[in-house]
Amino acid sequence: MDSGSERAVPRKRADARRNEKALLDAASAAFVASGVDVPVRDIAAKAGVGVGTIYRHFPTRADLIVAVYRHQIEACAEAGPALLADSGTPHTALVQWINLFVDFLITKHGLAEALQSDAAAFQTLHAYFLDRLVPVCDQLLDAAVAAGEIRPETDAYGLLRGVGNLCIGAGNDPRYDARRLVQLLIAGLRLR
């Protein structure tokens, strides 16, 4: 293999990664704006690719939805330790991370339906969601407890489930302020 051939293979993989990221970013934005049932042609137009390119990467809508949510779950999971390292207090990091989690939930039209679907892909996604986010929340809670900032009996799964339940229907009623209710829930964790 000459050096020209060796360079072509990695560049192609990097291009494929960039294309996939562009597709995931475009799909994510389209899901936020229009829900998970947005036409694939709209996603393709936003990504600047043809519809066939999307189907080459993601043969079914379920594959695309799963890939987008995995990508977003990873971003949320990676934010936890970064916030803990960069925030003034563990409680501040927890509040900021919960706000990111709320953003993730209330901007995902169709997420609840997708996670409750009978499709095997969505069942795996729900398990991935829990496997990645519960430990991050647990780490943030443990740090805040160790700093004497919150009540020690708070369970990460229960907290995420409670936040998730408060976010259900947030987009359906303009009078319902899920963010405000989540703020009250998080304020209730504080030691006075």
Side-chain angles (χ1 to χ4, degrees):
M1 216 178 215
D2 67 26
S3 62
S5 298
E6 289 174 11
R7 272 184 267 139
V9 173
R11 184 171 40 243
K12 184 176 180 186
R13 286 194 303 251
D15 289 350
R17 283 193 304 272
R18 278 193 302 277
N19 287 344
E20 185 169 325
K21 183 181 180 328
L23 290 173
L24 292 174
D25 290 343
S28 176
F31 290 173
V32 168
S34 305
V36 295
D37 292 325
V38 63
V40 173
R41 69 181 172 279
D42 293 355
I43 296 168
K46 190 168 192 68
V49 300
V51 173
T53 301
I54 291 181
Y55 285 117
R56 266 193 307 283
H57 286 277
F58 310 104
T60 68
R61 180 174 295 276
D63 293 333
L64 178 60
I65 293 169
V66 167
V68 167
Y69 288 132
R70 279 183 174 269
H71 181 69
Q72 293 171 331
I73 289 166
E74 276 307 309
C76 195
E78 290 169 3
L83 288 169
L84 195 54
D86 297 339
S87 297
T89 68
H91 181 265
T92 301
L94 174 65
V95 169
Q96 291 172 336
W97 188 80
I98 290 293
N99 286 334
L100 289 174
F101 182 64
V102 169
D103 290 343
F104 171 77
L105 292 176
I106 66 174
T107 60
K108 306 302 176 260
H109 305 284
L111 176 62
E113 293 84 6
L115 291 177
Q116 294 174 4
S117 170
D118 289 335
F122 295 125
Q123 291 172 359
T124 329
L125 180 61
H126 183 64
Y128 183 72
F129 179 90
L130 294 175
D131 290 346
R132 290 296 290 139
L133 298 184
V134 170
V136 172
C137 185
D138 204 28
Q139 178 187 19
L140 291 162
L141 289 170
D142 287 348
V145 167
E149 297 176 313
I150 66 168
R151 302 170 191 279
E153 69 275 2
T154 307
D155 170 66
Y157 175 79
L159 178 61
L160 292 179
R161 179 99 190 226
V163 169
N165 286 340
L166 289 173
C167 292
I168 292 173
N172 300 332
D173 184 351
R175 298 174 300 159
Y176 181 71
D177 187 355
R179 290 180 194 282
R180 178 71 182 130
L181 291 174
V182 170
Q183 288 173 355
L184 292 171
L185 173 65
I186 300 304
L189 298 177
R190 289 286 292 208
L191 290 174
R192 301 273 182 229

